[in-house]
């Protein structure tokens, strides 16, 4: 049997198996990105990241199904099945490239997005509204205080309204002795939240982009393998694996 055909068959079968694993991985990555960003949705104005996640989740589901089709088409030596498999690979490749582009665009806009929105959200802090809950969650989860630094709270109307204290969410850990007073700096987180949140979102997006890029590159080899076998079938030289 032609060595190129054998190699192409093996690549396609391997690709089909990877499609199953990749499908689950993409669904997980998309869900992880949405969950991570949703936790800090109040501080984000642009929603480009949800476009990327919204693309790769259905792509992951389709990949799992198509992995079965590719395996069947290869073992059954089906020209129609292989042609369909090729078209699906190309469609998924296009979707992943689209998600990659949107992800890169948003990654470059994270800093500007946070700069525009975080100060506004912090200014709306009044101890009761939804913005208050978002700020408290952010400061407790990232162990930070204020936008650039804890001193940002001194210009916030809420600061003077409660006897010059920062929110208790600025306190380190679960320290019961912390009241938010600035004379207790050893009990307060003093680093600003903007830089820490930006780094977190950058890391999440970078992780997602690397996964998408890796799968997209592998599909290029899968496309070439399907083309090799399809051309061989049309010339009438295709042989089964057990020949």
């Amino acid at each position: 049997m032609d060595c190129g055909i054998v190699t192409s068959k093996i690549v396609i079968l391997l690709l089909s198996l990877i499609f199953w694993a990749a499908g689950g991985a993409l669904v997980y990555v998309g869900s992880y990105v949405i969950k991570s960003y949703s936790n800090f949705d109040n501080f984000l104005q642009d929603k480009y990241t949800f476009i990327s996640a919204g693309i790769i989740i259905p792509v992951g589901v389709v990949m799992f199904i198509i992995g079965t089709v590719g395996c069947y088409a290869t073992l059954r030596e089906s020209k129609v099945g292989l042609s369909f498999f090729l078209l699906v690979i190309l469609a998924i490749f296009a979707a992943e490239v689209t998600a990659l582009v949107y992800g890169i665009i948003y990654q470059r806009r994270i800093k500007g997005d946070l700069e525009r929105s975080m100060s506004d959200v912090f200014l709306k802090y009044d101890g009761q509204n939804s913005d208050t809950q978002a700020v408290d969650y952010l400061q407790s989860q990232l162990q930070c205080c204020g936008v650039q630094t804890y001193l940002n709270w001194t210009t916030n109307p809420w600061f003077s309204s409660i006897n010059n204290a920062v929110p208790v969410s600025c306190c380190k850990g679960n320290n019961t002795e912390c009241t938010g007073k600035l004379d207790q700096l050893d009990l307060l987180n003093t680093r600003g939240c903007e830089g820490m949140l930006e780094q977190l979102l950058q890391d999440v997006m970078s992780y997602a982009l690397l996964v998408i890029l890796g799968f997209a590159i592998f599909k290029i080899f899968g496309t070439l393998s399907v083309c090799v076998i399809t051309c061989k079938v049309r010339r009438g030289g295709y042989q089964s694996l057990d020949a």
Side-chain angles (χ1 to χ4, degrees), residues 36-37 39-44 114 117-119 121-122 125 130-148 153 169-170 189 191-198 200-201:
S36 298
Y37 276 65
N39 289 334
F40 309 105
D41 189 46
N42 292 65
F43 306 100
L44 301 171
L114 291 178
S117 60
M118 285 194 72
S119 296
V121 174
F122 271 73
Y125 190 98
S130 60
D131 291 312
T132 294
Q133 297 174 3
V135 170
D136 285 337
Y137 179 83
L138 174 70
Q139 293 188 149
S140 60
Q141 289 296 308
L142 300 187
Q143 298 182 18
C144 57
C145 186
V147 181
Q148 286 85 23
W153 279 108
S169 56
C170 285
N189 296 307
R191 294 182 59 187
C193 297
E194 182 182 309
M196 299 180 71
L197 180 56
E198 178 188 352
L200 172 64
L201 298 181

Side-chain angles (χ1 to χ4, degrees), residues 4-55:
I5 294 297
V6 174
T7 302
S8 296
K9 286 183 179 180
I10 293 174
V11 170
I12 294 177
L13 290 174
L14 179 61
L15 181 64
S16 298
L17 295 175
I18 291 180
F19 262 45
W20 292 334
L26 286 177
V27 170
Y28 169 78
V29 169
S31 302
Y32 175 66
V33 170
I34 290 177
K35 181 178 182 299
S36 298
Y37 276 65
S38 294
N39 289 334
F40 309 105
D41 189 46
N42 292 65
F43 306 100
L44 301 171
Q45 294 179 341
D46 294 326
K47 308 300 178 184
Y48 286 98
T49 181
F50 295 106
I51 295 177
S52 298
I55 291 174

Side-chain angles (χ1 to χ4, degrees), residues 2 5 228 230-238:
D2 191 322
I5 294 297
V228 169
T230 302
C231 291
K232 190 70 174 180
V233 169
R234 289 176 179 173
R235 292 199 301 266
Y238 190 95

Side-chain angles (χ1 to χ4, degrees), residues 2-207:
D2 191 322
C3 182
I5 294 297
V6 174
T7 302
S8 296
K9 286 183 179 180
I10 293 174
V11 170
I12 294 177
L13 290 174
L14 179 61
L15 181 64
S16 298
L17 295 175
I18 291 180
F19 262 45
W20 292 334
L26 286 177
V27 170
Y28 169 78
V29 169
S31 302
Y32 175 66
V33 170
I34 290 177
K35 181 178 182 299
S36 298
Y37 276 65
S38 294
N39 289 334
F40 309 105
D41 189 46
N42 292 65
F43 306 100
L44 301 171
Q45 294 179 341
D46 294 326
K47 308 300 178 184
Y48 286 98
T49 181
F50 295 106
I51 295 177
S52 298
I55 291 174
I56 64 176
I57 289 178
V59 165
V61 174
V62 172
M63 284 178 64
F64 188 86
I65 297 173
I66 297 306
T68 304
V69 175
C71 186
Y72 174 82
T74 302
L75 294 177
R76 296 289 295 178
E77 306 178 359
S78 171
K79 183 172 67 174
V80 174
L82 287 170
S83 298
F84 176 72
F85 189 51
L86 175 60
L87 291 176
V88 171
I89 290 178
L90 293 176
I92 292 177
F93 178 78
E96 288 178 338
V97 170
T98 302
L100 192 66
V101 170
Y102 272 113
I104 292 174
I105 290 174
Y106 184 77
Q107 192 174 37
R108 293 178 177 177
R109 299 178 62 167
I110 288 177
K111 183 175 179 62
D113 190 12
L114 291 178
E115 289 176 349
R116 290 192 303 271
S117 60
M118 285 194 72
S119 296
D120 292 338
V121 174
F122 271 73
L123 282 174
K124 296 176 183 177
Y125 190 98
D126 65 2
Q128 296 180 341
N129 61 19
S130 60
D131 291 312
T132 294
Q133 297 174 3
V135 170
D136 285 337
Y137 179 83
L138 174 70
Q139 293 188 149
S140 60
Q141 289 296 308
L142 300 187
Q143 298 182 18
C144 57
C145 186
V147 181
Q148 286 85 23
T149 172
Y150 74 99
L151 292 175
N152 293 138
W153 279 108
T154 61
T155 60
N156 192 298
W158 186 83
F159 178 80
S160 56
S161 70
I162 58 161
N163 299 320
N164 298 333
V166 299
V168 293
S169 56
C170 285
C171 296
K172 294 179 179 178
N174 297 315
N175 197 310
T176 56
E177 298 179 0
C178 179
T179 62
K181 294 290 186 179
L182 296 186
D183 58 2
Q184 297 180 315
L185 282 182
D186 57 321
L187 302 180
L188 295 174
N189 296 307
T190 57
R191 294 182 59 187
C193 297
E194 182 182 309
M196 299 180 71
L197 180 56
E198 178 188 352
Q199 186 60 55
L200 172 64
L201 298 181
Q202 291 279 9
D203 291 344
V204 171
M205 186 57 69
S206 295
Y207 166 68

